[in-house]
Amino acid sequence: MADQATGVIGVSARGYRDIARMWVKAALAYPASFWMMAASQFFLTLLDFVGIWIMFHTIDSLGGFDLTEIAFLYGATAFGIGVADLLGGQVERLGELIRMGRLDGMLLKPLPLLVQVCADQFALRRVARITQALVMLGVASYWVDWTPAKVGLTLVMLVSGSVIFLSIFVVFGCVQFWTVDASEVANAFTYGGNTMTQYPLTVFPKQVVTALTYLVPLAFVNWYPSLYILDRADPYGFPEWLRYASPIAAVALVAVTAVVWRAGVRHYESTGS
Amino acid sequence: MIPLYVSVATRAFRRYSTYTAATLSGLFTNCVFGCIICFVYLALWDQRPNAGGYDASDAVTYVWLGQAMLMTVMVWGGGVTNDLAERIRSGDVAIDLYRPVPLIGWYVAQDVGRAGFHLLTRGLGPTIVGALLFDVRFPSGPVAWLGFAVAVVLALLVSFAVRFLVASTSFWLLDASGPNAVAFLMAAFFSGLTVPLVIFPGWSRDVVMALPWASYIQVPADIWLGKREGWDLLAGLGFGVLWAVVLFAACHLVLRRATRKVVVQGG
């Protein structure tokens, strides 16, 4: 059983890599477009931060956090969504695959469907956003009082955050199994979640933070671990152990995602034409 | 000629109205983003109650107007000009050039129809939701309503011209996705969608207020909020007219050059 599972993962990873490599080659066939898009990805996420920086021309702190702390939160969530978008952002276009009948073709191939959907049109240019996130994190790190435990938790945060965002991409992408052209619903949670977590959650009412903790666990992408890393007390008084709970949230969300994806695939009955 | 344009616009309106699920899901997303940004702005205006000459109520109104304009004006790009870019790439644009209607007019008419649909759904929807959830302000009188309406039309024309220019890079590059991405970036920031242009510091405020993207959200919002009245209101509209004229002239110029190139390519 365990052997079988490792086998599937190995095949999936190799399959993903091969498909991705093909798309990278294809993208580099138009180098001007590739570099323009990569550069604009880099600046697009950077400009979001410039926006926050502009806000800080009129204020000294937002929600009780200063600019360097917000830069840390910002870098962490940008990294998470950057990795998730690179690896699985294509789920957004599930409806299109269904409409064009391409999903049927994919079902016939000896590779898990989710792997094929995620690897389809793999866009290397999205590495630009991850680079930007790492630069931001690096700069923000200067103001952090580092200890080994904090370094460890930062790594855990970045991995968990990526997994959480990836799951959210897939879960809400699954909506398209039921209504083909409702892909935009997912944006509210993926990009919306990214926008929310760019700011300290103190900006939002407590009910929102509760929802982001127990319902759609976006608060674990950066907020809870960052409270520990930045030596901050939880302004809303949530339990202390939540700071270390990002991996638990990530694993739980992956389980939910697997169930939803399976339900979606089972519900799928081809376009019929 | 006019009846033709009207029927082209009507068809575009109907075409967009087919996708109910897409419209509803987009509306939902607009509202979620509206709420998120409102909370952020409220935190900011709580600390600096007069930032950029806005009060908290102006700020949340600005947020919902921004969400309402997002699709109506196509702030990010796309819409019918994406079809144009694709038709340039595939060569189908030759058919557009053969039509007994000027190509630019043909696409403007389509975009007006599309904007009409988006105004009624993705424009009106977030405005109502925003007004229910937050302390949103409404124009104080008929002059402001009228000025706002004209400003939205100008915003649409300026945005169309920008999108048309971006799409026509396909004539040379064949693939407009690079320019599209750059245009998206510029518009997202300089339209004031990320942060209201009024809170840009110092000279950068004067610069962004003079760029064409300022006509997308900032000018209509200022008219709506009563920040621009009398001569100021007219100056705001004049600003939109100026950019619309300049950019449409550029569209014509580019199209003339491109047409010559297409003819050469076609042998």
Side-chain angles (χ1 to χ4, degrees), chain A:
Chain A
M1 187 67 189
D3 274 3
Q4 210 181 347
T6 14
V8 171
I9 290 172
V11 169
S12 300
R14 268 196 302 281
Y16 188 99
R17 189 197 57 199
D18 292 344
I19 299 174
R21 189 179 288 164
M22 185 188 77
W23 283 107
V24 171
K25 223 183 250 175
L28 290 174
Y30 295 97
S33 253
F34 175 83
W35 288 110
M36 246 195 249
M37 284 198 279
S40 50
Q41 284 250 328
F42 184 92
F43 287 111
L44 185 67
T45 39
L46 186 67
L47 278 184
D48 253 2
F49 188 77
V50 174
I52 298 176
W53 180 70
I54 288 173
M55 289 182 191
F56 270 84
H57 275 269
T58 56
I59 50 179
D60 301 321
S61 71
L62 190 64
F65 285 70
D66 65 28
L67 189 58
T68 62
E69 292 170 311
I70 291 178
F72 189 83
L73 289 170
Y74 178 96
T77 184
F79 180 89
I81 197 168
V83 172
D85 191 29
L86 175 73
L87 294 180
Q90 285 305 322
V91 181
E92 249 173 32
R93 309 182 69 167
L94 185 63
E96 205 178 301
L97 295 178
I98 294 175
R99 211 169 28 225
M100 306 303 280
R102 284 191 54 209
L103 203 69
D104 289 340
M106 289 181 171
L107 277 165
L108 295 173
K109 289 184 186 133
L111 195 62
L113 186 64
L114 183 57
V115 174
Q116 292 186 59
V117 171
C118 289
D120 189 50
Q121 305 198 10
F122 178 87
L124 186 67
R125 61 170 187 275
R126 289 176 175 155
V127 169
R129 173 187 273 175
I130 303 172
T131 315
Q132 190 271 330
L134 285 173
V135 170
M136 190 63 70
L137 265 181
V139 174
S141 294
Y142 178 79
W143 289 273
V144 176
D145 264 333
W146 289 106
T147 63
K150 284 182 183 176
V151 175
L153 193 63
T154 302
L155 296 176
V156 169
M157 168 180 78
L158 294 179
V159 174
S160 311
S162 306
V163 173
I164 290 173
F165 268 124
L166 186 55
S167 304
I168 287 178
F169 264 110
V170 176
V171 160
F172 290 100
C174 283
V175 171
Q176 297 168 84
F177 277 121
W178 283 273
T179 43
V180 180
D181 48 1
S183 67
E184 247 200 276
V185 169
N187 291 355
F189 299 93
T190 52
Y191 297 103
N194 174 236
T195 304
M196 278 177 125
T197 48
Q198 281 172 2
Y199 301 97
L201 295 186
T202 41
V203 162
F204 302 103
K206 188 172 180 183
Q207 296 93 311
V208 173
V209 184
T210 309
L212 293 183
T213 306
Y214 300 111
L215 205 61
V216 187
L218 281 161
F220 293 96
V221 163
N222 61 351
W223 174 246
Y224 286 118
S226 296
L227 286 177
Y228 177 84
I229 297 161
L230 301 172
D231 296 313
R232 302 287 300 236
D234 190 327
Y236 282 123
F238 279 95
E240 181 128 351
W241 57 267
L242 289 175
R243 298 170 176 211
Y244 321 106
S246 291
I248 301 174
V251 169
L253 192 58
V254 167
V256 172
T257 306
V259 172
V260 173
W261 174 261
R262 264 155 216 248
V265 174
R266 216 169 305 130
H267 178 266
Y268 172 67
E269 284 169 337
S270 180
T271 40
S273 54

